[in-house]
Amino acid sequence: MEQVAHDRAKRKKSPSQELLEETEWLQSFLLLLFRSLRKHPPLFLDTVKNLCDILNPLHQLGIYKSNPGVIGLGGLVSSIVGIITVACPHMKLNTH
């Protein structure tokens, strides 16, 4: 029993070690996300469009308040991405 308790105490990590592990996990996740979006431009465009499209409903519902400039910029970027996907059909995300 003493050995098990000793092993458990050794496995417990300090808060700085836990923070370092969480930071490493976040960094590896963001790197994977960046590489995936870089290799698949249609997925990148769709993700940007969806992020821009969500700004207005979040503002209207009071979940995330932003100024009219941010809402307008989000709408502009969303419209430009929509035009790109219409003008270049190969940039449209295939859903099948």
Side-chain angles (χ1 to χ4, degrees), residues 2-66:
E2 288 178 16
Q3 182 65 31
V4 171
H6 184 327
D7 290 342
R8 284 185 183 167
K10 279 175 74 175
R11 279 188 273 167
K12 286 190 177 182
K13 298 174 180 138
S14 69
S16 62
Q17 287 175 327
E18 289 178 10
L19 181 62
L20 182 62
E21 285 182 1
E22 289 177 13
T23 305
E24 288 173 354
W25 177 86
L26 179 62
Q27 187 176 17
S28 63
F29 172 76
L30 291 175
L31 182 63
L32 179 64
L33 180 66
F34 174 75
R35 286 182 178 170
S36 298
L37 293 176
R38 189 170 177 205
K39 289 182 180 180
H40 304 287
L43 180 62
F44 173 72
L45 286 177
D46 192 58
T47 302
V48 168
K49 186 174 183 325
N50 288 337
L51 288 174
C52 290
D53 286 341
I54 198 75
L55 290 175
N56 193 22
L58 289 177
H59 177 73
Q60 294 294 326
L61 293 171
I63 296 171
Y64 178 77
K65 292 289 186 185
S66 58

